[in-house]
Amino acid sequence: MSSYLDIHRKVRTFLKGGENIYTDEAILNGINAGLGAILPWLPKRSVAQGLAVTSGSLVELPDDVYLVDAVYYPNDQRWLEHWSITPSKALESDAMWIEYPSGYLSLSSELEDATVDVFYYTNWTEITTSGSATDSLGVPAYANIAIIYYATSYVLTSSAISSAMLRQFNTKIDSGQPDDSPIKDMASLLMQKFLNEVKLFPAFERAHR
């Protein structure tokens, strides 16, 4: 796992020559945005044990749930089946779970006076400082380059927007086409490289028990 400063320095390398243009805060925001962008390909695993079943069939989820993966019922020492709302998936009499409504699990049958263990995916912890060498991103090393690509694109996109706002006040026609923007083109290229990189991540399999 790399430290925040390692990633920060590498983003600075991509932005070489812009030391006085791109602030540490902008790079910090870009890296945190990158941590959020990788979630569909690399979510963080977590577990909440002993969640109470209320009203017989509702389970309130932790606030940091991104996606529920599996539900375990300790009383019977068994995994509950996931119920997806599709025509081919019948609702069984045995307890099944679905992530509905928002922030809750609903069970297909009542489990009175029971608790369940919920295995889920959550967000990577955002970095809240731009100067600590001890802050770790927490992600596997193979995700670093994708985050660097995304963070650099994020910072450049901000500059491209500022440049576009200024260009509306131009008093003469510049050379090239009106929509030419090297900064925008570079931001788009880096975003495409980010998408190419995350496709190389090892596939994670959901339990969906």
Side-chain angles (χ1 to χ4, degrees):
M1 295 183 184
S2 297
S3 71
Y4 167 77
L5 284 186
D6 288 336
I7 304 301
H8 182 104
R9 292 190 187 103
K10 290 175 181 176
V11 173
R12 278 282 181 210
T13 300
F14 272 87
L15 298 170
K16 190 175 181 180
E19 287 82 358
N20 298 323
I21 301 175
Y22 307 111
T23 65
D24 287 345
E25 183 181 6
I27 295 177
L28 170 67
N29 291 337
I31 292 174
N32 281 331
L35 289 172
I38 64 173
L39 280 178
W41 299 274
L42 183 64
K44 182 180 179 181
R45 298 177 185 273
S46 189
V47 59
Q49 296 180 306
L51 296 184
V53 179
T54 59
S55 302
S57 59
L58 276 180
V59 180
E60 185 174 2
L61 296 171
D63 292 336
D64 63 341
V65 169
Y66 168 67
L67 198 65
V68 175
D69 189 37
V71 180
Y72 184 71
Y73 183 35
N75 285 20
D76 288 353
Q77 297 184 346
R78 62 186 175 93
W79 297 95
L80 302 184
E81 291 292 327
H82 176 249
W83 176 44
S84 57
I85 304 178
T86 59
S88 61
K89 186 70 172 181
L91 182 60
E92 301 174 4
S93 57
D94 206 5
M96 301 173 69
W97 63 271
I98 187 171
E99 198 171 342
Y100 178 85
S102 178
Y104 289 86
L105 290 182
S106 292
L107 305 179
S108 61
S109 61
E110 293 190 358
L111 298 175
E112 295 292 348
D113 301 322
T115 62
V116 294
D117 299 336
V118 176
F119 295 76
Y120 65 96
Y121 298 110
T122 185
N123 299 309
W124 296 99
T125 303
E126 290 191 350
I127 303 298
T128 57
T129 178
S130 59
S132 175
T134 59
D135 280 336
S136 172
L137 295 188
V139 300
Y142 63 75
N144 289 348
I145 188 64
I147 293 173
I148 292 168
Y149 285 147
Y150 193 95
T152 310
S153 176
Y154 179 98
V155 174
L156 289 176
T157 299
S158 176
S159 291
I161 293 172
S162 298
S163 177
M165 295 297 291
L166 288 173
R167 283 173 66 88
Q168 68 179 313
F169 300 109
N170 281 4
T171 57
K172 63 179 181 179
I173 299 174
D174 295 330
S175 61
Q177 298 300 315
D179 60 349
D180 283 350
S181 173
I183 298 177
K184 181 196 72 174
D185 293 343
M186 181 54 67
S188 297
L189 173 63
L190 290 169
M191 186 59 66
Q192 185 58 55
K193 292 180 75 67
F194 163 79
L195 292 173
N196 292 341
E197 193 67 28
V198 293
K199 291 176 184 177
L200 300 177
F201 285 6
F204 74 95
E205 295 185 6
R206 295 187 61 188
H208 249 352
R209 294 178 180 274

